[in-house]
Amino acid sequence: MNKLPTAKRVKVLELLCEGMSMRAIERVVGCSINTVDKLLREAGIACAIYHDEHVRDLATKRVQVDEIWSFTYAKQKNVAEATSAPYGAGDTWTWTAIDADSKLIVSWFVGGRDAECGLWFMKDVARRLSNRIQLTSDGHGAYLKAVGEVFGIDIDYAMLVKVYGEPSHSREVSRRYSPADCVGTKTSTIAGKPDPKHISTSYAERANLTMRMHMRRFTRLTNAFSKKLENHAHMVALYTLWYNFVRIHKTLRVTPAMAAGVEKWLWSMEDVVAVIDEQAERHAPRLGDRLVG
């Protein structure tokens, strides 16, 4: 089977993680979009497997969770009238959990924003931790049931709800694409005794902003949105490995994986390509099954 040279594979993955579209990568690197698509799928599966196997037993003390919105194929209100809408079309929510100290993405989940997805997400967060944590979420109701069912009373959990208001001097037209101003916050203790000084979702929200800036699929008001839910998840898996192991955090001056003690060395994108090749060899039947369709 033909395979791109390592240098070109590295370049394709780097450009994907820096927010370039697949069509633009096709032109810059000089390979077909089908090749870019195939490499993304292989990378997504391999990166998800690596994250699942290695981001475990974390001595994390404080975790912040949040959700980031995007859509697949069409916005939810237009799915009913869309032609040949695929499975997963409509609103797509990416749930993320971040270690407030190391900035490591502990877990991610792509799906809806309902209670069932919240439960799946919190179960994955819990199985990656080795000790009791302080958890902060926004006011999304799905967290209440999910956290209670997964952690019980073995957690210090608080909700932080931001209160938004429209400034009196603003004009609706000029602020059409701008978020409302945050005019205050409300915190509530749900379980345990969370430290009030660390009740915050700021790191999770900032990490989600970084995610939106580095993945073209999250860019608003463009046609760069994902056309397939599967590829959206593959891109999130690739981005997460790159963010945790390759990208140096400006404040920490090391990667989040190094700060969290998951890895001792700084990775390059060549290391990510090596992970893809290793996983393809180890899980050839598994990868083959998941790449079909």
Side-chain angles (χ1 to χ4, degrees):
M1 180 177 65
N2 294 330
K3 183 183 292 186
L4 278 179
T6 298
K8 280 198 171 185
R9 295 167 75 197
V10 166
K11 180 57 67 175
V12 168
L13 296 178
E14 286 178 340
L15 295 177
L16 282 171
C17 291
E18 291 295 347
M20 184 174 283
S21 69
M22 294 174 69
R23 287 292 184 187
I25 293 172
E26 175 188 30
R27 295 189 293 270
V28 170
V29 178
C31 59
S32 73
I33 192 169
N34 291 334
T35 300
V36 178
D37 180 74
K38 181 176 181 295
L39 179 57
L40 172 60
R41 288 184 284 133
E42 291 175 344
I45 294 173
C47 291
I49 293 172
Y50 190 91
H51 179 91
D52 185 56
E53 293 177 346
H54 292 83
V55 182
R56 290 179 175 272
D57 299 321
L58 302 173
T60 302
K61 297 180 180 179
R62 296 183 290 126
V63 173
Q64 299 178 9
V65 293
D66 196 19
E67 323 87 55
I68 179 171
W69 173 84
S70 58
F71 66 92
T72 299
Y73 191 78
K75 290 185 177 179
Q76 194 65 47
K77 63 181 181 179
N78 299 324
V79 171
E81 300 177 358
T83 304
S84 303
Y87 167 78
D91 290 348
T92 303
W93 290 89
T94 303
W95 305 63
T96 57
I98 189 169
D99 181 336
D101 296 308
S102 68
K103 311 305 184 291
L104 181 82
I105 297 178
V106 174
S107 177
W108 57 270
F109 179 86
V110 174
R113 199 170 179 251
D114 53 36
E116 183 179 4
C117 290
L119 184 58
W120 276 98
F121 173 62
M122 292 313 305
K123 283 182 177 179
D124 189 68
V125 172
R127 68 193 183 95
R128 302 190 183 282
L129 306 172
S130 63
N131 49 256
R132 185 184 180 107
I133 62 165
Q134 174 166 329
L135 176 71
T136 307
S137 75
D138 59 20
H140 183 35
Y143 287 117
L144 287 172
K145 181 180 179 180
V147 174
E149 185 169 335
V150 173
F151 291 96
I153 62 173
D154 190 25
I155 191 171
D156 300 309
Y157 174 37
M159 274 188 165
L160 184 146
V161 179
K162 293 186 176 180
V163 180
Y164 292 95
E166 190 74 14
S168 58
H169 62 274
S170 68
R171 294 183 179 179
E172 183 178 350
V173 174
S174 65
R175 294 181 56 83
R176 182 178 177 185
Y177 299 117
S178 300
D181 288 345
C182 179
V183 297
T185 60
K186 297 180 180 179
T187 62
S188 56
T189 297
I190 307 300
K193 297 181 179 180
D195 185 343
K197 294 185 300 183
H198 298 300
I199 298 177
S200 172
T201 56
S202 296
Y203 291 130
E205 292 168 3
R206 183 59 182 85
N208 282 352
L209 173 60
T210 302
M211 179 179 287
R212 192 175 291 283
M213 293 169 65
H214 278 277
M215 279 188 280
R216 187 65 169 154
R217 297 166 189 273
F218 286 84
T219 307
R220 297 180 184 272
L221 303 177
T222 71
N223 63 354
F225 53 87
S226 295
K227 311 308 183 291
K228 300 177 183 177
L229 182 62
E230 180 186 35
N231 279 6
H232 188 90
H234 290 328
M235 186 63 233
V236 174
L238 169 61
Y239 168 84
T240 299
L241 196 72
W242 172 80
Y243 173 90
N244 280 343
F245 290 86
V246 179
R247 180 181 181 272
I248 295 178
H249 193 281
K250 185 177 180 181
T251 302
L252 300 174
R253 299 186 179 181
V254 293
T255 63
M258 295 169 68
V262 176
E263 180 57 80
K264 296 180 179 179
W265 314 107
L266 174 64
W267 281 29
S268 66
M269 195 59 84
E270 284 82 358
D271 295 310
V272 177
V273 171
V275 166
I276 297 170
D277 291 337
E278 179 186 354
Q279 297 297 339
E281 185 175 344
R282 288 177 55 200
H283 304 278
R286 181 177 174 184
L287 290 177
D289 291 342
R290 292 189 64 174
L291 285 174
V292 172

